[in-house]
Amino acid sequence: SAFSDDLAELAAACQQLRGIHRLAAQRIEIPFHVGEDRSRTWVLTRTAGGLRLKHDHRHADGSPDAVTMYGGETVVPGSETRQAFPVDAESIAMFRREGLNASLENTWAMEIQPAMFAYELTRPNGRRFRVEFDLSRPVATPPKPWGW
């Protein structure tokens, strides 16, 4: 029941990602590296009403990108294996400011199964991006994300 209980349970299930940078009772930081690009970190935080997902984007020198700390909060309870995060007002304002109008209706989701962790982005126009991590195959611990 990774999403229905506390974040520590989700972190324990994801340990095989070998990328969890920091873990606290109310917050998990999960780097998402693409090749040599270490600019992305997913930040999950427990809130009074559920969970918040933010995307921390940094440059190689550690400075924040102009488009960073965007995301959303849960608005309905998820399941034990999946949680959705519709875009929040703060992110909508940033996307408008940066001319990223395609992102104004984003919904992100995370899913955990016994041997799989998934991250997903969807839009009402049908766009869907999904990446799945095979938790049954350990990987070497990656370098820290930029800025951490």
Side-chain angles (χ1 to χ4, degrees):
S1 58
F3 282 115
S4 63
D5 295 321
D6 63 49
L7 290 179
E9 190 173 334
L10 173 61
C14 294
Q15 276 301 322
Q16 290 174 340
L17 285 176
R18 305 291 300 208
I20 291 182
H21 177 62
R22 284 190 240 187
L23 170 63
Q26 302 299 315
R27 180 177 165 121
I28 300 174
E29 297 160 358
I30 307 170
F32 177 46
H33 298 213
V34 179
E36 298 300 313
D37 182 339
R38 302 191 329 249
S39 64
R40 302 165 184 87
T41 302
W42 298 317
V43 181
L44 281 168
T45 308
R46 167 83 50 207
T47 66
L51 296 173
R52 175 184 305 123
L53 169 65
K54 290 290 183 169
H55 299 75
D56 186 332
H57 285 254
R58 309 235 179 175
H59 298 282
D61 67 1
S63 64
D65 190 87
V67 179
T68 190
M69 297 312 288
Y70 59 86
E73 292 192 21
T74 56
V75 293
V76 296
S79 72
E80 291 184 355
T81 60
R82 183 177 172 84
Q83 184 62 64
F85 306 88
V87 65
D88 60 25
E90 177 184 46
S91 300
I92 290 171
M94 178 178 41
F95 292 148
R96 283 191 174 129
R97 182 184 74 237
E98 297 297 324
L100 300 171
N101 293 333
S103 298
L104 299 177
E105 297 181 288
N106 284 358
T107 297
W108 299 273
M110 289 188 167
E111 184 178 330
I112 187 85
Q113 299 290 337
M116 185 271 301
F117 173 78
Y119 166 87
E120 182 180 279
L121 163 68
T122 57
R123 294 181 177 150
N125 68 3
R127 172 154 187 201
R128 181 175 183 255
F129 168 81
R130 181 177 170 96
V131 61
E132 294 183 359
F133 300 89
D134 181 351
L135 300 180
S136 69
R137 299 179 58 189
V139 297
T141 301
K144 289 184 179 181
W146 296 335
W148 296 89

